[in-house]
């Protein structure tokens, strides 16, 4: 087994739109906005620590790398199934270098470190257009995470290639189909798991 610490830096905005316990409440709340246009939507769809540090779930990293593995060829196919079988993301929360402290002060100016992204989206069910309000991080966001995998299935060079492809071709979080969440790998440091844990 191999452990690798990967540090990445965002080259495109990262957009939050995750499912949280506040997304669907058991208690009735005052309605904000109208169907398809709720300016308060972003307040229910991001994750942050009690200190206001924004983070992503480890499942975002796993999904990003799994999708990127299809670009690393193995025979007539790819290493995607091998990577899915062996990859573990050790960190539960992938902490970002951005904070949110006062919800009232968030701007829609995308040059700010943290902002509200407002875009028109197409609802696939109704074919109509809705307005989506998402918390966004401007390029330059950073994070690091630790991966564990079986080197007999995916070697170190392949895993590093997958991480690079993930940043260039896949991206993290919401809006990936329009090129959001792209990043570059700043460092990739792999060690034997036994040495790293002793």
């Amino acid at each position: 087994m191999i452990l690798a610490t990967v540090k990445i830096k965002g080259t495109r905005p990262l957009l939050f739109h995750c499912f949280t316990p506040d997304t669907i409440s058991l208690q009735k709340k005052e309605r904000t906005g109208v169907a398809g246009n709720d300016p308060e939507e972003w307040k229910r769809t991001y994750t942050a620590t009690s200190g206001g540090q924004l983070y992503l779930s480890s499942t975002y990293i796993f999904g990003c790398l799994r999708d990127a593995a299809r670009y690393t060829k193995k025979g007539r196919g790819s290493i995607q199934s091998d990577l899915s079988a062996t990859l573990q993301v050790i960190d539960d929360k992938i902490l970002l270098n951005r904070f949110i402290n006062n919800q009232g002060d968030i701007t829609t100016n995308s040059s700010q470190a943290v902002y509200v992204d407002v875009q028109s989206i197409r609802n696939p069910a109704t074919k109509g257009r809705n307005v989506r309000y998402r918390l966004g991080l401007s390029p330059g966001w950073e994070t690091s995470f630790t991966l564990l995998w079986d080197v007999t299935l995916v070697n170190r060079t392949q895993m590093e290639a997958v991480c690079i492809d993930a940043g260039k071709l896949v991206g993290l979080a919401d809006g990936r189909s329009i090129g959001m969440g792209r990043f570059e790998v700043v460092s990739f440091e792999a060690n034997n798991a036994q040495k790293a844990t002793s």
Side-chain angles (χ1 to χ4, degrees):
M1 299 293 278
I2 294 288
L3 272 174
T5 301
V6 185
K7 183 175 181 182
I8 61 174
K9 182 175 183 178
T11 56
R12 296 277 291 141
L14 185 145
L15 303 179
F16 283 86
H17 198 262
C18 55
F19 188 84
T20 66
D22 292 334
T23 306
I24 299 177
S25 176
L26 295 174
Q27 300 173 355
K28 290 192 174 190
K29 293 183 179 179
E30 181 180 353
R31 187 177 178 133
T32 58
V34 296
N37 188 353
D38 181 4
E40 304 289 306
E41 173 186 22
W42 67 271
K43 294 181 180 180
R44 301 183 298 273
T45 57
Y46 71 88
T47 48
T49 65
S50 57
Q53 187 170 9
L54 295 163
Y55 69 87
L56 298 171
S57 165
S58 61
T59 58
Y60 281 67
I61 301 296
F62 184 92
C64 176
L65 297 180
R66 180 201 59 218
D67 291 351
R70 71 175 176 262
Y71 300 108
T72 302
K73 299 302 177 190
K74 177 184 177 184
R76 298 175 76 179
S78 72
I79 66 166
Q80 190 173 43
S81 60
D82 290 343
L83 183 129
S84 295
T86 187
L87 180 63
Q88 297 176 51
V89 182
I90 301 301
D91 318 271
D92 289 330
K93 295 178 180 178
I94 311 301
L95 297 171
L96 296 153
N97 66 334
R98 303 287 170 89
F99 292 80
I100 183 165
N101 295 317
N102 186 348
Q103 292 182 356
D105 290 344
I106 303 296
T107 178
T108 57
N109 182 350
S110 62
S111 66
Q112 299 299 310
V114 179
Y115 65 97
V116 176
D117 179 79
V118 184
Q119 290 190 37
S120 170
I121 61 159
R122 183 176 162 274
N123 184 331
T126 64
K127 310 291 189 232
R129 309 273 327 160
N130 291 339
V131 180
R132 170 86 0 115
Y133 296 83
R134 296 174 282 202
L135 191 69
L137 308 183
S138 59
W141 52 268
E142 294 180 358
T143 190
S144 63
F145 48 88
T146 305
L147 306 176
L148 177 69
W149 77 95
D150 187 339
V151 75
T152 63
L153 290 176
V154 179
N155 67 43
R156 296 172 203 228
T157 304
Q158 288 173 322
M159 186 61 78
E160 185 171 8
V162 166
C163 291
I164 292 168
D165 286 345
K168 289 181 179 176
L169 307 171
V170 180
L172 277 171
D174 209 37
R176 289 174 296 163
S177 63
I178 56 172
M180 299 300 179
R182 303 292 170 92
F183 57 87
E184 62 184 3
V185 176
V186 175
S187 64
F188 181 94
E189 299 175 4
N191 301 296
N192 291 338
Q194 292 80 4
K195 290 180 183 177
T197 56
S198 59

